[in-house]
Amino acid sequence: MHSAQRDSQVAIPLNLVEAINRALRQAMEDDDSVVLLGEDIATNGGVFRATEGLKEHFGLRRVMDTPLAENLIAGMSVGMASQGLKPVAEIQFMGFIYAALEQLISHAARLRNRTRGRLSCPLVIRAPFGGGIHAPEHHSESTEALFAHVPGLRVVIPSSPARAYGLLRAAIACPDPVLFLEPKRLYRLQRLPVAIDDEPLPLDRCFTLRAGEDVSLISWGAMIHETLAAADQLAEDGIKADVIDVATLNPLDRDTLIATAGKTGRVVIVHEAPFTGGFGAEIAATLASDALMHLRAPIERVTGYDTPMPYFAMEQQYMPRVERIVAAAKRCMAY
């Protein structure tokens, strides 16, 4: 559909899951090769209703329910993508994605290289991830670092409705496979203005959400919510924080991260995943290598713990809290 036929650049209030739905709908209207598949996504609209109403609008040939078989979902997606379609597959929870690793790592991420550019693999795998909703075991994973280690596989994580809308549209248009991880704790947290029919947001870029010159707070996904709240508290004490949303973990926008470290000289990295081997370690290593002479204090990491995500009674004790982020920033300031 030509842009003149739409309400161009209209900002409407959406929560994050509604923004996902709008991005999928618009991508399917723009390109007949975009198809959706996943468990219960057609008739039921998905476990979080992210695909609600799309089967009725586009039909079962483009919005397909699959068996409960993640390996099959990923394998079908690779086959579709190699033959001219643009599949957007949903894995119900990130904790169920491990059965699909063979297809994603050994095939989707390698197809362009394997065929020396003859074939590409334009697919998107959507998966809700992270804790904070009192879910049972296997429903609260944050293993994004595992996938960021795979060459050829983009890892994208939105942190607001507007970034969910813009980044998902960009992911669907991307000629390479994208793992699009949706922080389900933010799905219905708040409605914020989203510019419908705006240009897709750029992949492979960090976003500066708040400017400051005293300390850099770097995060992604749901933890951006606590990170911004920590920046507000620090501002009350006269500490101005630069807040960076990483957004795309692979490939990583190292230039923006090096620039913020150079500006403030103090860095706090925040993520929900466990401490050891978390993606924050990659960022810290980058800054230690390329911004060492600008640092005024050791890099701080505020993360989950090296344990499985606990059941809901202890879940909030596991999640990084605002006071931990504030304390880490103040340690940097005092160093």
Side-chain angles (χ1 to χ4, degrees):
M1 185 182 295
H2 193 273
S3 61
Q5 294 175 273
R6 298 196 186 108
D7 294 328
S8 181
Q9 306 271 334
V10 173
I12 61 175
L14 297 174
N15 61 33
L16 196 143
V17 76
E18 291 168 340
I20 295 292
N21 185 281
R22 289 295 293 258
L24 292 171
R25 179 182 292 270
Q26 186 159 327
M28 296 179 78
E29 288 176 349
D30 289 345
D31 187 344
D32 289 342
S33 68
V34 177
V35 296
L36 312 184
L37 65 156
E39 299 163 7
D40 298 325
I41 71 157
T43 299
N44 289 339
V47 66
F48 291 104
R49 303 299 184 260
T51 53
E52 190 170 38
L54 299 182
K55 181 198 78 170
E56 289 75 15
H57 190 77
F58 296 101
L60 284 171
R61 289 180 62 85
R62 297 187 66 195
V63 185
M64 296 168 274
D65 280 328
T66 68
L68 274 66
E70 286 75 19
N71 190 40
L72 174 143
I73 293 169
M76 284 179 60
S77 297
V78 173
M80 289 176 173
S82 71
Q83 300 303 313
L85 295 176
K86 295 180 180 177
V88 182
E90 178 181 300
I91 303 295
Q92 278 195 346
F93 291 89
M94 192 180 189
F96 302 159
I97 203 170
Y98 307 118
L101 291 187
E102 165 70 15
Q103 302 294 341
L104 295 178
I105 296 174
S106 299
H107 302 293
R110 293 171 177 260
L111 194 60
R112 181 186 293 277
N113 184 69
R114 178 181 297 154
T115 64
R116 295 300 185 261
R118 185 174 66 86
L119 296 176
S120 59
C121 196
L123 67 84
V124 176
I125 302 290
R126 297 178 41 250
F129 91 117
I133 65 164
H134 295 180
E137 189 178 11
H138 301 305
H139 292 67
S140 302
E141 314 290 284
S142 293
T143 51
E144 62 270 24
L146 173 68
F147 296 94
H149 189 64
V150 179
L153 182 65
R154 274 181 167 80
V155 179
V156 179
I157 305 177
S159 63
S160 73
R163 285 185 287 283
Y165 177 79
L167 290 171
L168 182 54
R169 288 186 60 202
I172 295 171
C174 180
D176 295 311
V178 179
L179 179 62
F180 195 84
L181 298 175
E182 299 165 9
K184 58 184 178 289
R185 180 162 62 92
L186 302 186
Y187 267 158
R188 292 177 171 82
L189 180 67
Q190 55 187 344
R191 280 190 168 89
L192 295 169
V194 176
I196 300 302
D197 198 33
D198 205 348
E199 289 297 315
L201 292 174
L203 300 176
D204 313 340
R205 302 274 186 88
C206 296
F207 297 94
T208 300
L209 306 185
R210 181 169 179 155
E213 61 277 352
D214 295 324
V215 62
S216 299
L217 307 181
I218 299 171
S219 189
W220 55 90
M223 279 294 116
I224 286 291
H225 184 70
E226 280 76 15
T227 302
L228 287 169
D232 288 338
Q233 285 197 18
L234 290 167
E236 294 175 2
D237 293 330
I239 300 170
K240 297 177 181 178
D242 219 34
V243 179
I244 306 296
D245 179 2
V246 177
T248 300
L249 274 61
N250 187 34
L252 181 62
D253 177 8
R254 288 178 165 82
D255 290 344
T256 296
L257 299 174
I258 293 166
T260 188
K263 180 168 72 167
T264 69
R266 306 175 183 92
V267 175
V268 178
I269 303 165
V270 183
H271 61 73
E272 188 177 316
F275 179 85
T276 301
F279 194 72
E282 176 65 26
I283 295 173
T286 295
L287 299 181
S289 172
D290 296 338
L292 179 63
M293 302 311 293
H294 296 289
L295 294 177
R296 304 178 184 182
I299 296 169
E300 291 271 353
R301 284 186 283 162
V302 180
T303 73
Y305 298 99
D306 289 342
T307 68
M309 172 70 79
Y311 293 120
F312 63 86
M314 293 291 291
E315 188 177 43
Q316 292 305 316
Q317 300 303 312
Y318 177 95
M319 307 276 285
R321 298 186 300 278
V322 172
E323 52 267 31
R324 287 179 60 196
I325 302 170
V326 170
K330 289 186 174 180
R331 285 195 297 272
C332 284
M333 296 300 298
Y335 187 80

